[in-house]
Amino acid sequence: MRNISGLFILLFVCYAIPVFAEVQIGDTVFTESFDSGKLSNDWKINSPQFVSVRNNALQVSIPADSQSKNASAVITLPAGQLAGARLRVTSRIKAENIAEPPQPWNGIKVMLIIDTPHGKQWLQANEGSGSFDWKGNTFNADIPRDVKSIELLLGIENTTGTVLIDDVNIRVIGKQRSRPAQKADKSKPVYKGHNLPRLRGAMISPGRFKSEDIKVFGGEWKANHVRWQLTWSGFPNGPADTATVEEYNKWIDEQCRLLDEMLPECKKYGVYVCLDVHTPPGGRIPKDKGSTMRMFHEKEFQDAFVALWEKLAKRYKDEKMVWSYDLLNEPVEGIIPENSGLLDWRSLALKTAKAIRKIDAEKAIVLSAAPWGGPDTLEWFEPFDPKEVPNVIYTVHVYVPHSFTHQGVHSKSEPLDYPGKIGGLHWDKETLRKALQNTLDYSTDYGAAIYIGEFSAIRWAPNGSAYRYLKDCIELFEEYGWDWSYHAFREWDGWSVEHGEVQNDRKPTAVPTEREKLLRSWFEKNER
């Protein structure tokens, strides 16, 4: 039987303006067990001929020969009261002959549709196809403060077969960061880990980045830093995903050797290094399981992660060209098993940072928030107490809107222009400004430095769109005083500013592209 918590009882006053109690961590805000044998009028049914309640469960069944391949039941949740809440959505599902959907995000749907001023989000746990007995389905959902509406959708999308869904439960497991009563004192200098006006550079991939590349990047282009990826190539599935801790440590030793060989060249050309653990111990679990990091499922890899940074701190604490330790690239926790003794990302990062501080008290520690480190994620990350862990810098990666920056990367897509309408929203510099507002607020609230560890747009974005996007991004970063790192220099040609807009042309252009000239114009402003 459905129950929307009493927390959401409306108190209608003048013109039916609702007043709600604030949700707290642990509150159950929605349940539905379908025990009444029917759906209430609160549900909106799409293709009702395929949707019913059978044996106290929602049944959505689309015949294999049906022309329509979509059917669902949708209910609206109270967005205003869930704004700023981190939700855990659980249910039980059973499948019979679900045909392989065209995309992994199609198929069985237990999904929240979150509408915001920046566009919609569709959050779910992908469940594949075929037949299986009752099993749990769980995912987390972060509800932005500026959410406009939230819908819960249960059903089937772009395929056929039968799914039974039961025991849907939504509870609050976290909330957005607390805003300080008083913002940081602007008269105090912000710790950035260096004494330069700005760090402007790019990501590089060890093994591909040679002495000649540093000469070009630092000497000719005048970039003054690189974000040095410790990455065991392969995404989402790479060698680290099946490697033991011993094998991982052997790989790390080789990566450190490569860095040590290049550090004299970095010093020669005035190129600082942000040391970035791109691939953690354990790597990731398979893409169809969400590409979460194995160390949030197996404790030995969490222990190895702390030990890794102790090792790196001992090795580079006195190396002046290494200006910062970027603890983990784009952390993804997924669903951490309860009562497992495993730490969530913030807790693991805090433990690791404290371990580093026992070895290296000075060098900057760079932190991103889960999941994936985008511009909105810091809203869910309480900053470290500077008395407990000093000299912390916070980082975000800017790929918004993702459908524009990554068009044609993972699958074919319609060309998208910037500025222009993308995902139902007009994107331009002011839209980007709004998308970065949460990050700016974080910086001003706590007096924390922001480092843009990655940003880019795929080179074949049409009609010079990538240039215009990068130009707007950089101008905003500069306006806010943020250090930044372009993704990437002489890595994959899809992101290369030395390659043109024709996707199939894999050779650098004979003359500099507008994107290259843009980056170099900013690098010219660098000090060393």
Side-chain angles (χ1 to χ4, degrees):
M1 183 175 181
R2 180 182 60 85
N3 174 47
I4 295 181
S5 171
L7 290 168
F8 305 132
I9 296 174
L10 300 183
L11 301 178
F12 284 99
V13 293
C14 185
Y15 299 102
I17 297 175
V19 179
F20 297 94
E22 183 181 1
V23 296
Q24 302 298 327
I25 295 175
D27 287 344
T28 295
V29 298
F30 179 87
T31 61
E32 176 67 89
S33 59
F34 305 102
D35 289 345
S36 67
K38 63 179 181 179
L39 290 172
S40 72
N41 292 333
D42 295 331
W43 291 90
K44 180 175 67 176
I45 310 302
N46 171 36
S47 300
Q49 69 273 29
F50 302 139
V51 179
S52 60
V53 176
R54 301 283 176 86
N55 299 321
N56 296 333
L58 179 71
Q59 177 176 293
V60 181
S61 185
I62 302 178
D65 59 355
S66 173
Q67 293 298 309
S68 174
K69 298 185 184 301
N70 295 279
S72 62
V74 180
I75 193 168
T76 300
L77 302 179
Q81 287 56 60
L82 298 179
R86 173 168 284 167
L87 306 179
R88 176 156 295 176
V89 182
T90 62
S91 62
R92 294 192 309 125
I93 59 175
K94 179 180 179 180
E96 299 173 6
N97 301 319
I98 296 292
E100 184 74 28
Q103 299 292 344
W105 56 83
N106 300 142
I108 298 168
K109 311 301 285 188
V110 178
M111 179 171 70
L112 289 185
I113 304 171
I114 303 169
D115 193 10
T116 77
H118 309 301
K120 287 189 175 183
Q121 302 173 24
W122 294 267
L123 303 181
Q124 63 182 359
N126 296 338
E127 287 296 349
S129 57
S131 299
F132 51 80
D133 205 351
W134 288 105
K135 69 176 184 177
N137 175 285
T138 304
F139 64 94
N140 294 342
D142 291 344
I143 310 301
R145 281 197 177 102
D146 59 357
V147 63
K148 293 161 58 178
S149 67
I150 309 171
E151 292 181 319
L152 171 66
L153 183 148
L154 311 176
I156 294 176
E157 178 185 71
N158 286 349
T159 189
T160 60
T162 297
V163 64
L164 298 169
I165 303 171
D166 200 4
D167 297 331
V168 183
N169 180 279
I170 303 176
R171 63 185 173 94
V172 180
I173 62 168
K175 300 183 74 174
Q176 286 190 330
R177 67 182 178 91
S178 56
R179 302 293 294 271
Q182 185 174 354
K183 292 185 178 181
D185 185 351
K186 290 185 178 181
S187 67
K188 293 183 178 180
V190 174
Y191 172 82
K192 300 180 72 173
H194 58 83
N195 59 4
L196 299 177
R198 188 88 73 251
L199 290 182
R200 305 179 181 97
M203 291 178 60
I204 60 94
S205 183
R208 302 181 187 179
F209 197 66
K210 307 296 184 183
S211 296
E212 177 62 26
D213 299 316
I214 291 185
K215 180 181 178 181
V216 171
F217 196 55
E220 298 176 19
W221 288 28
K222 302 188 185 307
N224 63 5
H225 99 283
V226 292
R227 184 165 177 255
W228 191 285
Q229 303 176 72
L230 299 179
T231 180
W232 209 345
S233 60
F235 180 83
N237 303 119
D241 300 353
T242 55
T244 65
V245 171
E246 291 73 22
E247 290 168 336
Y248 179 87
N249 287 335
K250 183 177 180 181
W251 169 76
I252 281 290
D253 289 341
E254 174 62 15
Q255 296 303 299
C256 290
R257 185 190 66 78
L258 292 173
L259 174 57
D260 293 346
E261 286 182 354
M262 299 298 283
L263 282 172
E265 298 294 310
C266 291
K267 185 176 182 179
K268 179 179 179 180
Y269 294 106
V271 177
Y272 280 107
V273 172
C274 170
L275 189 56
D276 152 44
V277 170
H278 221 73
T279 304
R284 296 177 184 270
I285 65 173
K287 184 177 181 181
D288 61 358
K289 302 292 185 181
S291 293
T292 61
M293 293 172 171
R294 262 212 294 170
M295 68 180 183
F296 296 109
H297 300 266
E298 299 178 49
K299 189 175 183 301
E300 69 168 316
F301 295 116
Q302 290 200 345
D303 294 340
F305 181 76
V306 178
L308 163 66
W309 272 112
E310 290 174 330
K311 179 178 184 175
L312 294 174
K314 289 175 183 176
R315 187 161 186 150
Y316 296 111
K317 67 175 182 175
D318 297 321
E319 175 51 65
K320 300 302 183 184
M321 297 313 297
V322 175
W323 74 274
S324 64
Y325 302 137
D326 192 338
L327 292 194
L328 181 61
N329 180 72
E330 298 181 356
V332 185
E333 303 163 313
I335 307 299
I336 299 175
E338 295 184 6
N339 303 316
S340 63
L342 291 163
L343 301 177
D344 64 13
W345 166 234
R346 188 184 182 281
S347 299
L348 179 60
L350 181 59
K351 180 179 180 179
T352 306
K354 288 180 177 179
I356 290 173
R357 283 290 171 255
K358 290 179 180 179
I359 300 165
D360 185 340
E362 299 297 331
K363 210 176 295 294
I365 292 174
V366 177
L367 287 176
S368 61
W372 299 105
D376 286 338
T377 56
L378 285 177
E379 283 295 288
W380 304 90
F381 196 94
E382 289 286 347
F384 289 177
D385 183 342
K387 295 179 181 178
E388 195 173 21
V389 183
N391 299 348
V392 173
I393 294 169
Y394 297 89
T395 184
V396 298
H397 296 177
V398 179
Y399 297 105
V400 289
H402 193 270
S403 57
F404 166 76
T405 63
H406 284 63
Q407 58 185 290
V409 174
H410 302 297
S411 60
K412 290 184 178 180
S413 61
E414 290 296 319
L416 295 172
D417 283 278
Y418 176 91
K421 191 171 184 179
I422 305 167
L425 188 69
H426 180 79
W427 280 85
D428 56 17
K429 187 176 181 179
E430 291 311 304
T431 318
L432 284 173
R433 185 186 299 276
K434 291 176 182 177
L436 293 172
Q437 187 62 48
N438 285 336
T439 303
L440 181 62
D441 289 344
Y442 199 90
S443 176
T444 56
D445 280 354
Y446 307 115
I450 298 297
Y451 171 52
I452 303 299
E454 294 184 27
F455 73 104
S456 200
I458 200 68
R459 64 178 171 86
W460 51 76
N463 306 315
S465 289
Y467 163 80
R468 294 190 295 273
Y469 179 85
L470 298 178
K471 180 175 182 294
D472 285 351
C473 283
I474 293 173
E475 288 177 357
L476 288 170
F477 305 158
E478 293 287 329
E479 178 183 338
Y480 298 148
W482 297 343
D483 295 329
W484 51 265
S485 172
Y486 174 74
H487 181 268
F489 180 74
R490 295 187 176 175
E491 190 198 58
W492 177 50
D493 67 73
W495 307 113
S496 171
V497 296
E498 297 177 288
H499 290 68
E501 290 187 13
V502 179
Q503 183 171 356
N504 294 329
D505 186 352
R506 308 295 297 274
K507 296 180 180 179
T509 57
V511 297
T513 68
E514 292 302 308
R515 290 168 292 119
E516 177 182 330
K517 289 190 285 186
L518 173 69
L519 290 187
R520 294 179 67 170
S521 71
W522 283 103
F523 294 157
E524 288 284 346
K525 303 177 188 294
N526 282 338
E527 296 183 18
R528 297 166 186 271

